[in-house]
Amino acid sequence: MLKIGIIGCGKIAEVRHAPEYDENPECELVAYYDVNPERSQLLADQFGGRVYDSVEALLASGVDAVSVCVANNMHAAVSVQALDAGVHVLCEKPMATTPEGCREMVDASERAGKRLMIGLNQRFAKAHARAKEILDSGELGTVISFRTNFCHPGPEGWTGKLDTWFFDRRIATFGVMADLGVHKTDLIHYLTGQSVVATTAVLGTLDKKMPDGSPVTVDDNAFAIYTMETGAIGTMHVSWTDYGSEDNSTRIYCTGGVLRLYDDPEYSLIVETPDGVERFALDQLTSNKEQTSGGRTATGVIDAFVESILTDSPSIADGTSAVHAMDVIFANQLSSELGRSVRLAEEA
Ligand SMILES: NC(=O)c1ccc[n+]([C@@H]2O[C@H](COP(=O)([O-])OP(=O)(O)OC[C@H]3O[C@@H](n4cnc5c(N)ncnc54)[C@H](O)[C@@H]3O)[C@@H](O)[C@H]2O)c1
């Protein structure tokens, strides 16, 4: 039985990590740490286990693995500390706030011989997994272009705080481009089996305000045009200002037809070809809305992490693949600052 600790006991720990560990028969939640001890105590009361008063004390308690669910600016430091202590790490996205931080995490994992996984849960959604099988089979030919969107009303609804740290550049470092864009960039890498080789991006702060009326200090909308290795081209729009129904959809346009993913309220996967249309109701993506409605969709991330430890093999959201998506996010920031296209080699 794997002994699990959680470092950072906020919203994502409460609604995804802790319940999914609790449901996995191969592991036991035994340890929690948060700079705010009330948060760690709440999880211990609900799921069992002990509260510790420092990261060091938690890591010395005999845990096999930890989830790192702190704010963005501490992901790399806490993950490296845990790996150096010989503990497997599942770190939330965005992986780290600098390219060096991402690579230090991978290096620490290799040095320690311990698993490093990043919470890129879009890879585990059923329609995405099926789409990957279809694309890999070649039955739709090759990818010509795509568009992928991730737009919701913003993180203040998720955290329940109008002045959430997600809006504070000193803690979040990034805005929506990294917060939501890393999910969709990674998804495009995963589905197409190709890397983004060039990007033209624009990041903007268009509407989000702090409670005092001042604009937030990070981007609330971001747009990118991606060129892939084969020359396929696609767009990504991520937004924290979709005040209607959320848009978490992707379309992949291939030589033999079109894949529509989470693009229809009823059918999570639609395959359109010149011969006809096939519709599949596989699942719904995890969303911020379900947290307020009381429902919960398992992400599959925790089960994959536990399995990757038990089998000593990389999961499909291993740290090494997450670095590539982060490199594109850093290139998007550079492109927006420079006002021109950026090739990924420039960023590396
Ligand atoms: N995979 C996803 O789709 C997804 C969704 C939401 C959030 N996230 C990520 O999860 C992380 C946490 O987000 P959240 O929504 O839970 O935020 P949150 O503010 O609800 O929780 C963060 C917690 O970390 C604690 N904390 C901060 N610094 C700490 C430190 N140095 N040591 C210990 N505890 C510390 C805070 O007190 C807080 O309880 C973020 O990086 C976010 O991007 C991922």
Side-chain angles (χ1 to χ4, degrees):
M1 185 80 87
L2 292 176
K3 290 188 168 34
I4 306 290
I6 296 185
I7 301 173
C9 301
K11 189 75 179 182
I12 192 79
E14 176 199 340
V15 302
R16 303 244 172 94
H17 290 249
E20 293 189 28
Y21 283 121
D22 191 47
E23 286 164 5
N24 188 306
E26 309 282 1
C27 61
E28 184 188 5
L29 278 164
V30 296
Y32 309 89
Y33 170 66
D34 194 294
V35 283
N36 176 352
E38 282 174 25
R39 301 300 301 252
S40 28
Q41 193 59 54
L42 279 175
L43 287 195
D45 290 346
Q46 193 177 350
F47 297 99
R50 269 191 61 186
V51 167
Y52 290 84
D53 61 7
S54 68
V55 174
E56 292 75 17
L58 183 147
L59 293 175
S61 71
V63 290
D64 299 299
V66 290
S67 273
V68 174
C69 301
V70 297
N72 302 349
N73 61 341
M74 292 302 293
H75 284 183
V78 175
S79 297
V80 169
Q81 188 178 355
L83 289 160
D84 282 346
V87 169
H88 303 283
V89 168
L90 165 58
C91 179
E92 265 307 336
K93 43 57 58 177
M95 185 174 185
T97 54
T98 62
E100 297 74 25
C102 295
R103 281 166 177 76
E104 278 167 24
M105 289 168 72
V106 171
D107 288 348
S109 158
E110 287 170 359
R111 206 165 51 229
K114 298 292 168 184
R115 300 250 61 92
L116 169 65
M117 178 171 161
I118 308 299
L120 291 165
N121 49 282
Q122 295 246 335
R123 287 187 177 225
F124 298 91
K126 287 193 172 63
H128 290 157
R130 180 73 191 111
K132 166 102 181 123
E133 286 171 2
I134 293 170
L135 289 167
D136 283 354
S137 76
E139 64 193 86
L140 284 186
T142 55
V143 175
I144 303 167
S145 66
F146 56 84
R147 71 120 180 93
T148 187
N149 294 351
F150 197 166
C151 305
H152 69 46
E156 68 274 40
W158 161 258
T159 57
K161 289 183 190 150
L162 290 177
D163 61 348
T164 172
W165 63 263
F166 280 88
F167 292 156
D168 184 345
R169 180 172 292 281
R170 291 166 303 175
I171 301 173
T173 310
F174 312 106
V176 71
M177 171 53 88
D179 182 48
L180 303 184
V182 76
H183 276 304
K184 291 304 189 191
T185 302
D186 178 66
L187 178 67
I188 291 299
H189 279 172
Y190 178 60
L191 291 180
T192 63
Q194 301 177 44
S195 296
V196 173
V197 294
T199 179
T200 309
V202 178
L203 281 58
T205 307
L206 304 184
D207 187 63
K208 274 295 171 217
K209 309 252 181 336
M210 297 301 285
D212 68 3
S214 60
V216 302
T217 53
V218 292
D219 48 293
D220 63 16
N221 275 270
F223 305 80
I225 304 173
Y226 288 153
T227 303
M228 311 302 291
E229 289 167 69
T230 58
I233 295 176
T235 64
M236 179 178 82
H237 174 208
V238 289
S239 171
W240 282 340
T241 64
D242 177 349
Y243 304 127
S245 54
E246 293 178 18
D247 179 5
N248 199 336
S249 69
T250 300
R251 286 191 184 205
I252 311 274
Y253 304 95
C254 303
T255 49
V258 178
L259 287 176
R260 293 173 50 191
L261 304 166
Y262 303 100
D263 188 34
D264 178 279
E266 203 171 340
Y267 298 101
S268 50
L269 171 64
I270 300 177
V271 187
E272 297 175 345
T273 70
D275 297 329
V277 181
E278 285 184 285
R279 297 180 179 82
F280 305 90
L282 299 176
D283 63 346
Q284 290 302 317
L285 278 173
T286 58
S287 76
N288 290 5
K289 275 186 184 167
E290 76 192 24
Q291 305 310 332
T292 46
S293 68
R296 184 168 66 80
T297 308
T299 61
V301 167
I302 271 59
D303 288 349
F305 180 51
V306 169
E307 191 186 341
S308 97
I309 296 169
L310 294 175
T311 59
D312 194 20
S313 54
S315 77
I316 56 168
D318 199 54
T320 47
S321 58
V323 174
H324 297 306
M326 286 306 298
D327 281 344
V328 180
I329 298 303
F330 294 120
N332 287 339
Q333 289 187 310
L334 184 63
S335 169
S336 186
E337 281 162 26
L338 298 176
R340 65 164 173 83
S341 289
V342 166
R343 294 199 65 79
L344 262 291
E346 288 183 57
E347 177 55 27

